[in-house]
Each structure stands twice: as structure tokens, then as C-alpha cells.
Amino acid sequence: MPELAEVFFHSSHWKAACGERFDVAWFHSQPRCCRELDAATLVASIDSAQLLSGYTHGKRMLFAFSGNRFLEVHLGMTGSLHRLQPDHEELKHDHLALRSSRSLLVFRDPRQFGRLALHETDDGELPGWWKDLPPQPHDRAFTRKRFHLLLQRRDKAIVKSLLLQQELFPGVGNWMADEILWRARLKPDRRLGTLKDAERNALFKELRWVCREALRIIGKDYSDPPKQWLFTHRWRDGGICPVSGVPLRRDTIGGRTTCWSPEVQL
DNA sequence: GAGCCTGTTCGGGC
DNA sequence: GGCCCGAACAGGCT
């Protein structure tokens, strides 16, 4: 379930191997998620390279290797990163594995909606496009002023769809958007033009709160958030709103399964 | 076996 | 131009 905090958690597995020197143990270029990556280039770039650091931004990850190489990873719907014993055997959907004397770093992705890409810079600095990514909702640079600017001239947009736009709110995915709207007490199909100032401010507040708390709780060790969150109750039909005690609704809004609480969200 | 799905992209349409 | 929707991608789970 890779949204902001889950992505951070997965990245921490590979980051734990920083300093180790890797070879490509195997790579399968046929799966859709690997097609951008040329096998020969990958081997030439990563073989004997040292993992220097790992970064996340929203749902994206970037791993820096010696030789000014960067491996970009997106987990899509079902991707995951693992750090295993060096001799761990290959499983069915393990498309890429890097091996050091101490670790096997695996990229796994059954549905192949993820993405791997390789980048190079002249000086080992982070690629310019990475530095230019917009601020994440939990970043200091994501100010109230910026938030209100993002909402301007989008009066017809549906608030749930808006929250899922990665170029605006990097890292927010389907469950996070539902959690944010539930806490802000906004019906997910509201058009931005109908939001009053107080509602916009509530949205801003809960957006940042959910991103920060998710990172703190899930990003740390993949714990589930407390039962007071919508999170625990949203996954299947029959859930009960932890605030109102009324059954939750599940509808398709903005093309996505959306769980919301009719008594609470107006 | 049918239906559902935590993400992204693309084409069509208003 | 902005934004919507639906389809497509592919496999695991219920």
C-alpha cells in the first residue's frame, strides 16, 4: 500500500544498506515496471558501486550510488523493497536484486505498476529535476499561502480528485485523501468552489497533520494508526465511523474507491 | 469464477 | 485550457 509513509518505510530497508558495495544479482527487463531500464547499462552503472544514500519524495524514491549514478524507484500499486540475506532465493516477482557481502536488496512488484529508472549526473549532485520537485505537504516550505494558491482557479475540481494530484500534494494516496477529508469534515465530492474559508483552512490543517502523523507512525515501523483513525475502518464494507458510530459509506468518487462518513462529512 | 483494488497515464469529451 | 471519466496495465486476494 505504498503512499507517502509506506514509501518512506520501504526506502528505509534499502537505506539500511548504505555504505555497502553492490553487484547486480539479477535483473529481469521484461516486466512492464522494468522496461525503461536497459540491462547492460544497469550492470555497467551499478556493478561494484557503493550505495551512498536514499531519498524519498512523495511516492518516489531515489538511491544514490557511487559513480554519480541514481536509481529511481516508484512502487506503483504493489511494489515493495526488501533487504534480505545475501543468499536469499529469488521469488516469482523479484524483478531486480542487488547483492553485497551482507545484503540482498530486492525490488518486488507482482502487478508491475511500479517503475525503475536510472539517472546520472556530472558531479554526483542530486538530479535537477529531483531538486525541483514541489514541496510535500509535511515540508516546511508547504505553507498555508502556497496551499491557498494551489486551490485557486480550480473551482470545478472535486476535492478528493484534487488531493490525489501528485504534482500538488506529493505522496497523498487514496487512503490518505479519505483520512484527510474525514478529519476536515468535508464530503469527498465537494467542488472546490463551494469551500468556505474555514473549510479550506481545515483541509490545510488536516492535510499536514495526516502526512506528518502517517510518517511518524507508519513510516517508522509500518504500524497501523490508532483505532480513532478512519484508516482502520475503511477497507471493507460494514465499517463504522469511529466518531459518529454510524456506518461508513463506500462510493466511487473521482474514479477511486472512497470511504466517508455521511453524518460527519458535509 | 467474478469482482475488487492503496497508482499512473492516456484518450475522449464537456 | 482545465478537469472529468473510463480504460488499460497484471496479478493476488476475497
Side-chain angles (χ1 to χ4, degrees):
Chain A
M1 17 175 144
E3 301 179 20
L4 178 74
E6 291 95 342
V7 168
F8 182 85
F9 178 72
H10 281 279
S11 80
S12 69
H13 293 149
W14 278 26
K15 280 159 87 166
C18 279
E20 297 175 25
R21 197 167 288 280
F22 287 92
D23 289 324
V24 176
W26 68 79
F27 172 63
H28 307 305
S29 57
Q30 303 84 352
R32 165 192 159 91
C33 47
C34 301
R35 282 181 204 150
E36 288 181 37
L37 210 50
D38 176 67
T41 309
L42 174 74
V43 171
S45 300
I46 301 294
D47 256 18
S48 300
Q50 191 179 22
L51 177 60
L52 300 177
S53 48
Y55 306 87
T56 67
H57 184 282
K59 299 175 187 172
R60 310 170 102 173
M61 295 182 270
L62 192 66
F63 294 94
F65 288 85
S66 57
N68 305 339
R69 317 289 174 148
F70 298 86
L71 183 63
E72 183 192 359
V73 181
H74 194 295
L75 297 176
M77 284 271 247
T78 55
S80 56
L81 297 185
H82 306 265
R83 182 183 182 213
L84 308 169
Q85 293 300 314
D87 59 351
H88 196 277
E89 68 179 280
E90 178 178 348
L91 298 180
K92 186 175 177 188
H93 301 292
D94 292 351
H95 307 306
L96 167 68
L98 307 176
R99 185 180 283 126
S100 76
S101 59
R102 296 166 57 193
S103 310
L104 188 72
L105 301 185
V106 171
F107 167 72
R108 183 175 298 161
D109 186 5
R111 287 177 73 181
Q112 306 171 33
F113 292 172
R115 197 169 70 92
L116 295 179
L118 202 56
H119 306 279
E120 184 176 358
T121 59
D122 293 335
D123 47 10
E125 284 281 301
L126 288 166
W129 59 266
W130 180 270
K131 292 184 188 170
D132 291 341
L133 292 171
Q136 306 167 98
H138 57 281
D139 289 336
R140 200 172 275 276
F142 194 96
T143 59
R144 183 181 301 269
K145 182 179 174 190
R146 171 181 172 80
F147 172 78
H148 286 298
L149 283 173
L150 293 180
L151 266 53
Q152 280 182 8
R153 293 183 305 281
R154 300 176 192 267
D155 282 354
K156 285 195 283 187
I158 292 169
V159 63
K160 163 91 185 220
S161 304
L162 187 88
L163 285 174
L164 294 175
Q165 291 189 32
Q166 296 304 295
E167 63 275 25
L168 304 183
F169 310 110
V172 175
N174 202 33
W175 78 254
M176 292 182 76
D178 285 358
E179 186 77 40
I180 291 160
L181 291 169
W182 176 72
R183 287 174 181 275
R185 301 192 159 239
L186 293 174
K187 202 161 166 273
D189 65 354
R190 289 277 298 276
R191 306 263 171 185
L192 285 195
T194 72
L195 296 190
K196 304 187 183 85
D197 284 349
E199 293 175 322
R200 291 171 188 247
N201 285 328
L203 189 59
F204 173 70
K205 178 183 161 210
E206 302 302 343
L207 167 67
R208 291 212 301 187
W209 190 87
V210 169
C211 287
R212 287 176 178 169
E213 284 297 291
L215 276 172
R216 187 176 69 79
I217 299 167
I218 303 169
K220 184 179 158 203
D221 57 8
Y222 229 79
S223 303
D224 277 356
K227 294 271 189 283
Q228 294 85 349
W229 286 44
L230 179 65
F231 180 93
T232 325
H233 311 272
R234 69 174 301 281
W235 301 106
R236 61 183 76 183
D237 290 339
I240 302 294
C241 172
V243 160
S244 66
V246 165
L248 295 164
R249 283 189 54 173
R250 298 178 88 227
D251 299 301
T252 298
I253 296 172
R256 309 297 302 281
T257 300
T258 299
C259 181
W260 61 287
S261 181
E263 302 261 317
V264 172
Q265 295 171 258
L266 306 173

